[in-house]
Amino acid sequence: MVERCRCGAELLGSLHFCVGCGRPRAQALVPRPRTGAVPVGAGARAPQGRTAVQHPSAAQYRPADRYRPAAPAPSAWVGPQPTGHAPGWGAPAGWGPVAPAPSRTPWVVASLVLVTLLLAGAALLVLRPDLLPGTAPTVTPAAAPVPVVVAPAAAPVVIPPTTYVPGYSPSPTTSLTEQAAADSPRVAATAGYWVPQLSSKRAGTSDGGITYDEQGILDHYRGLAAQYPGAALVWSGDWPVFRNSDYWVVVVAQPFTTAAGANAWCDAQGFGSDDCFAKKISWSDGPQGSTVHR
């Protein structure tokens, strides 16, 4: 006798569940009727002359709830179902894709971003502490302006020509003026000291049987300068130590601390007492006491 499922489908002996209704064999199996008994179902009638045997209801042949297998959890397996398992009951153990392990890359990236933000914030606070709440910005006071001192322009120094230019023939007075201007720095360097005085003349002065004019005074100076390299020409009007202000004076620009020292130089050179004596050069002293004869 062929066994059938409760839904009427044929129950194959090689399978463990009903193909038609999808129930397990234990639930889908319809009990075979006993010999001589006809199963009475809904709407069935017992044949005449025989006593209908009432079989227990289908619920009596169902296994107890404690023997009913629990419904398996839904499976993600979508592949072909293995032979011997009903659809909907999930893949057997060991079947189906393996769930990938959770990746830690997002956590690593998030940690690196957080560390970078913290370091940037710390660097900003170190460089700009004034950004902290309640911190007043640091104001560097402006440096005081440095006063600019402009030195007065130096007076131009007029240096007379040392050689004669062709076509240029200055007058003796011009030559004397230019020579005194050229010798003035050397004479000024002896201010406050004593120097030997060799000559003092102006136009019309008679000395040794010679009456001097400007040209004679110039020639006399040039002769002394050639013999005594330290000789210098002075205009008496430039210095208050001379009694008269219109004389051309020849001195030796060699300073001595005392009048005796200057007179000793005159003695050593063999000058007469009236031709060489000590003269003090000063910007403030007057004629009184500025001349010492030998």
Side-chain angles (χ1 to χ4, degrees):
M1 179 177 180
V2 179
E3 294 179 342
R4 295 183 176 276
C5 297
R6 293 184 181 278
C7 61
E10 182 179 354
L11 180 63
L12 300 180
S14 61
L15 299 180
H16 297 279
F17 61 93
C18 180
V19 178
C21 63
R23 294 185 178 182
R25 184 183 182 88
Q27 298 180 5
L29 181 63
V30 176
R32 296 179 182 182
R34 295 179 181 179
T35 303
V38 178
V40 179
R45 298 176 60 182
Q48 296 181 359
R50 293 186 178 182
T51 302
V53 179
Q54 297 294 332
H55 293 279
S57 63
Q60 295 178 352
Y61 288 95
R62 293 180 182 178
D65 292 339
R66 64 176 179 270
Y67 296 109
R68 182 180 299 172
S75 173
W77 176 253
V78 296
Q81 297 294 334
T83 303
H85 290 78
W89 284 77
W95 285 69
V98 179
S103 175
R104 294 187 295 178
T105 302
W107 293 100
V108 174
V109 174
S111 300
L112 292 177
V113 172
L114 180 60
V115 171
T116 303
L117 293 177
L118 291 177
L119 292 178
L124 182 62
L125 292 179
V126 171
L127 297 178
R128 294 291 304 275
D130 55 310
L131 297 179
L132 291 174
T135 304
T138 303
V139 179
T140 304
V146 179
V148 178
V149 179
V150 180
V157 178
V158 179
I159 301 177
T162 57
T163 58
Y164 290 98
V165 179
Y168 176 74
S169 56
S171 64
T173 303
T174 302
S175 297
L176 289 171
T177 302
E178 292 177 350
Q179 188 62 54
D183 294 342
S184 178
R186 292 192 296 144
V187 177
T190 64
Y193 294 93
W194 295 85
V195 297
Q197 179 176 323
L198 305 181
S199 174
S200 178
K201 294 176 175 58
R202 63 182 175 181
T205 299
S206 298
D207 184 18
I210 301 174
T211 300
Y212 290 89
D213 57 5
E214 283 79 2
Q215 186 63 51
I217 297 172
L218 180 60
D219 293 340
H220 179 64
Y221 162 76
R222 288 174 178 172
L224 292 174
Q227 189 174 359
Y228 305 101
L233 185 64
V234 177
W235 177 246
S236 63
D238 294 337
W239 298 92
V241 293
F242 295 101
R243 193 176 301 276
N244 299 308
S245 60
D246 56 350
Y247 277 78
W248 297 105
V249 181
V250 180
V251 298
V252 177
Q254 182 175 348
F256 294 91
T257 56
T258 62
N263 285 329
W265 185 92
C266 295
D267 293 337
Q269 302 301 321
F271 284 100
S273 58
D274 294 334
D275 296 331
C276 184
F277 51 86
K279 184 67 177 181
K280 187 176 183 180
I281 303 298
S282 175
W283 294 105
S284 58
D285 295 344
Q288 188 69 28
S290 62
T291 303
V292 177
H293 294 276
R294 292 188 291 154

